[in-house]
Amino acid sequence: MSDNPSNYSISKEHREYLRSKKMYKARVLFAQVFLLIAVFALWETAAQFRWIDPFITSQPSRVLRTLLSLHGEGVLYYHVGVTVFETVVGFVLGTIIGTAISIVLWWSDFISRVLDPYLVVLNSLPKIALGPILIVWIGNGIPAIITMALLISVIVTVLGVYTGFSQVDPYKIRLLKTFGATRWQVFQKVIFPASVPTIVSALKINVGLSWVGVIVGEFLVSRAGLGYLIVYGGQVFRLDLVMTSVLILSVAAAAMYQAVVLLEKYIVRWN
C-alpha cells in the first residue's frame, strides 16, 4: 500500500458525519443560550407587569444594578474571591485526602472491613449538624468553613473511589501477579489507570459538594463571602442582594465544573 497522504484523506461520508455532529452541537448551544435568555426575559416581564412581587423575587434589572453597585463599592471581587478560595481549597483537600484513604482501604482488606460501618455512618450523618462543634473547636474563621467543605466531600470521595478500585477487572490483577508484580506495581499499572474515570466522576461530584459545604459554613460563621452576602441580604430584606449573590454563585460553580470537564478531556486524551 502506498504511503501517499491522499490515501488517508477523510471520506465524503465521514465529512458529512463530522459536519452533522458540529451542527448538532451548535443547535444544543443555541437552545441553551435561548432558554437562559427566555428565562431572564420572562422574569423581567413578570416583575414589570407585577405578575410577581419584585420586592420578594427581585428582577434582572435590579440584580444588574446591585451588581454594578457592589463593583463600584469595591467589595464584589473580595467576597467572590473569599468564597472561591475556600471552595477550591476544600475541593482539592477533599479529593486528595479522599483518594488517599481509598488507596489505604484497597491496600489493606483488614482496614477496609474495620472502617466500612463507620464510613457508612459518617456518610449518612448530616454534616451541617457538626457546624457548631467546628466553630468551638476551630474558631469562626476560614479554617472552619474549609473544614465544613472537606467533611461534606471527603466521605463521598472515599466511597466512590474505593468502589472504583474494587471493581477493576480481577483477571488483569491476577495476570500481573502471575508475572511477579508487587502490590504497588499492580496499583500503578492496573488499579489507578482503570479508576481514572471514577476519580474524575468524584471530582465532578465534589464540585457541588464543596460549594454546598462552603456556603453552609459561611451561613454559620463568615463575615465575608457570597454566603455572608446572602445571609446579610435576608436579614436586612435586601433581596436584590440575595438574588445577585445566588446568580454569582451559580456562575462560579458552573465555571468550576467546566474546568473539571476540561481536565477530564485532557486526562482521557493522556490516558
Side-chain angles (χ1 to χ4, degrees):
M1 180 182 290
S2 173
D3 290 334
N4 192 324
S6 62
N7 294 330
Y8 303 101
S9 60
I10 300 176
S11 65
K12 179 181 178 181
E13 292 77 9
H14 194 190
R15 283 198 299 269
E16 286 295 324
Y17 171 76
L18 293 177
R19 189 177 71 84
S20 65
K21 293 291 289 183
K22 290 182 179 179
M23 290 296 296
Y24 179 76
K25 291 181 180 179
R27 290 198 302 269
V28 170
L29 179 61
F30 174 80
Q32 290 173 335
V33 174
F34 176 79
L35 179 61
L36 182 63
I37 295 175
V39 168
F40 277 96
L42 179 61
W43 183 12
E44 179 71 24
T45 302
Q48 290 287 352
F49 286 93
R50 298 290 173 172
W51 299 340
I52 58 176
D53 188 348
F55 177 77
I56 298 176
T57 62
S58 189
Q59 61 190 103
S61 57
R62 290 190 175 194
V63 169
L64 180 59
R65 287 196 297 269
T66 303
L67 190 64
L68 294 175
S69 175
L70 292 173
H71 170 73
E73 295 171 4
V75 299
L76 173 63
Y77 305 108
Y78 170 70
H79 288 291
V80 173
V82 168
T83 300
V84 169
F85 170 76
E86 294 165 345
T87 304
V88 170
V89 173
F91 170 77
V92 172
L93 288 179
T95 302
I96 293 176
I97 295 175
T99 303
I101 295 175
S102 300
I103 294 173
V104 172
L105 296 177
W106 173 84
W107 198 280
S108 173
D109 183 68
F110 175 77
I111 296 177
S112 173
R113 291 180 178 274
V114 169
L115 296 183
D116 180 69
Y118 298 101
L119 291 174
V120 173
V121 172
L122 289 175
N123 185 49
S124 60
L125 176 69
K127 313 303 184 299
I128 300 176
L130 300 177
I133 299 176
L134 293 178
I135 296 174
V136 174
W137 287 355
I138 303 175
N140 60 347
I142 291 179
I145 298 173
I146 293 176
T147 303
M148 176 65 72
L150 179 62
L151 288 176
I152 290 179
S153 63
V154 70
I155 302 300
V156 175
T157 303
V158 171
L159 296 176
V161 175
Y162 175 66
T163 300
F165 288 168
S166 303
Q167 292 177 347
V168 175
D169 189 352
Y171 292 103
K172 294 181 180 180
I173 301 173
R174 189 176 304 170
L175 177 62
L176 261 69
K177 289 183 177 179
T178 301
F179 286 100
T182 63
R183 196 162 182 80
W184 169 248
Q185 289 173 328
V186 171
F187 177 80
Q188 184 182 12
K189 302 297 183 181
V190 177
I191 300 298
F192 187 79
S195 302
V196 166
T198 303
I199 296 175
V200 172
S201 297
L203 288 175
K204 292 180 178 180
I205 295 172
N206 278 352
V207 170
L209 294 178
S210 298
W211 282 101
V212 170
V214 166
I215 296 303
V216 168
E218 289 183 346
F219 281 173
L220 295 174
V221 300
S222 180
R223 295 187 177 275
L226 296 175
Y228 165 77
L229 290 181
I230 292 173
V231 173
Y232 173 75
Q235 291 175 340
V236 299
F237 294 97
R238 289 183 57 187
L239 301 184
D240 297 335
L241 180 59
V242 174
M243 293 303 300
T244 302
S245 302
V246 170
L247 291 177
I248 295 173
L249 181 62
S250 302
V251 172
M256 189 171 174
Y257 183 85
Q258 289 302 316
V260 174
V261 171
L262 292 176
L263 177 63
E264 178 186 19
K265 292 180 179 179
Y266 172 79
I267 291 175
V268 169
R269 191 181 301 117
W270 169 81
N271 196 39

